[in-house]
Amino acid sequence: MSAPGTVYLVGAGPGDPGLLTARALDLIARADVILHDRLVPADALGGARTGAEVVDVGKVGGGEQVPQEETTRLLVERALAGRDVVRLKGGDPFVFGRGGEEAQACRAAGVPFEVVPGVTAGVAAPAYAGIPVTQRGVASAVAFVTGHEDAVKPETAIDWAALARFPGTLVFYMGVRRLERIAERLVACGRDGDEPAAVVERGTLPGQRTVRAPLRELPAAAAAAGVRAPAITLVGPVAALHDELGWLEARPLAGRTIAVTRARAQASALAGRLRELGAEVVEAPAIRIEPLEAEIPVLAAYDLLCVTSPNGAHELMRRVRDARALAGPRIAVIGPGTARALREHGIEPDVVPARSVAESLVEALAGVPVRRALIARAEEARDVLPDALGVRGAEVDVLSLYRTVAEPLADGARAAALGAEYATFTSASSARFFHAAAGTLAGPRLVSIGPATSAALRELGFEPAVEAADHTPDGLVAALLADASGAARG
Ligand code: SAH
């Protein structure tokens, strides 16, 4: 028999994919088998290699879960067959994660194992709520307590009198249904009912909420707010610091849902920026970039090369083998993103108009003598630029490097996008294709990057609520922020 594989007991953190450790990501990418809990970040498994066996052994809606013995059996069996197994658990594997029992089973079977700690929810959820679990002069000890006791043990396995006396912060991992009992027992055993307390729901995840109240009133306050699992409960004076340090809920787009409709390959920067501002982002790409077969002509024959989009810049530079080919013509671009894309290839554009629209480039070129111009762009781009240069007597060639094509909307993305408070459109084609895929644009406030996109929205029968003054993704974010701070919260 071959040597057994290794079992890695890996913490996946509390939910925010950014809180996965580098070690966890590395092991996920190499594993032969991944056995994961339900409460692991959605994107955590994205890095698994094709062909890896990925098994969800998690609980379904707080109910039945693959029995622990079955999970342990699977773990040991796969490792004994010579495969490396990642057992991926929410938070930290050794904090209420039964990781210890799984390690014992490995040991008993002679299977080597390693433990990769994760960011535990009992520290992360309060941190994202602005609650330090310790604080000089306020709390010098922390107790992690489970609300779900082992089903076979009587609930009295928790020493309530000791917890009531505990000189520090109490952190409960538990089903929200236990909250009333916990508060009751603590107060009955002598904990001050007026002590600050808090529940953090969905800590580090989109839609995180914090409910703050004195211990005695916390169960009613949580019930009134409709708090559901997963949630962490904190008892102790540090809980009051949420009122002062709650940074997450204070972010300008906290509680806002925003749909991003641009192509998946480009969505991440915009989505990331919106998330940093606190928004919950729905990625609903309805378009995709499709490169076209295109021969690059001899560029030295032109005195002007116009590049009208970042995609155009990338598609152009992908095809230009030798940067010296670009030495001849003056280079003009539309938009700082396009300029950036060229700079990545060591090309400094000569003309970048103040406004990121074709009309503005036409104005910027007014004093520039042009005999022969080449315009590198999307197949479906408007003809403003070639027409204007043609009128000026230039000979104009259009080089279509790519086209945007429809991308079917993923299951659920349509409803989620139309249910969002805002939907963002960074091009006329994203507006048209999204409308075609979704059947409507009714629902969200429509945010347009500029006049051409706004015109496309109006042609579809929908008036943009917001149009960016600066026609760039940053400008779109700025316009959305201004609207969100002005508009009443929906
Ligand atoms: N090993 C995990 C805990 C597993 S027990 C860890 O170290 O975090 C499951 C409990 O953890 C849930 O009932 C809930 O109380 C808590 N929990 C997990 N993820 C959470 C989150 N994102 N926000 C709030 N509580 C969470």
Side-chain angles (χ1 to χ4, degrees), residues 14 39 90-92 95-97 120-121 125 148 173-174 200 202-203 205 230-232:
L39 277 182
D92 181 275
V95 179
F96 307 127
T120 189
H148 314 287
Y173 293 66
M174 47 143 214
V200 184
R202 291 178 59 79
L205 289 161
I232 287 284

Side-chain angles (χ1 to χ4, degrees), residues 294-450:
E295 276 292 312
I296 305 290
V298 177
L299 296 175
Y302 296 90
D303 53 3
L304 178 70
L305 169 64
C306 298
V307 187
T308 64
S309 66
N311 286 317
H314 288 304
E315 291 301 325
L316 176 71
M317 296 314 295
R318 207 162 59 77
R319 294 170 169 88
V320 172
R321 288 274 139 70
D322 184 344
R324 286 174 296 183
L326 286 145
R330 192 178 256 116
I331 297 176
V333 305
I334 300 177
T338 310
R340 247 193 325 271
L342 283 181
R343 280 190 201 110
E344 281 171 25
H345 296 278
I347 305 294
E348 183 60 39
D350 301 293
V351 184
V352 187
R355 295 175 58 243
S356 306
V357 288
E359 288 78 359
S360 189
L361 181 57
V362 169
E363 280 167 35
L365 289 171
V368 178
V370 183
R371 276 184 309 107
R372 254 194 108 188
L374 180 69
I375 301 177
R377 61 172 223 187
E379 186 180 61
E380 69 275 10
R382 295 181 306 146
D383 286 325
V384 173
L385 188 57
D387 289 352
L389 290 171
V391 166
R392 288 176 45 186
E395 190 186 322
V396 181
D397 292 330
V398 167
L399 175 64
S400 296
L401 292 171
Y402 66 96
R403 64 164 77 101
T404 49
V405 297
E407 168 99 323
L409 272 181
D411 273 356
R414 179 188 180 273
L418 293 175
E421 189 179 353
Y422 290 97
T424 58
F425 297 93
T426 52
S427 66
S429 47
S430 69
R432 288 189 202 105
F433 282 120
F434 183 85
H435 179 267
T440 181
L441 294 174
R445 288 173 77 73
L446 308 179
V447 186
S448 152
I449 198 165

Side-chain angles (χ1 to χ4, degrees), residues 38 40-41 129 206 245 254 258 265 353 392 409-410 413 461 473:
R38 187 55 51 91
V40 301
L245 304 180
I258 301 173
R392 288 176 45 186
L409 272 181

Side-chain angles (χ1 to χ4, degrees), residues 445-473:
R445 288 173 77 73
L446 308 179
V447 186
S448 152
I449 198 165
T453 303
S454 297
L457 290 168
R458 287 189 191 105
E459 262 168 43
L460 296 164
F462 295 88
E463 184 60 28
V466 183
E467 181 183 289
D470 173 21
H471 314 309
T472 63

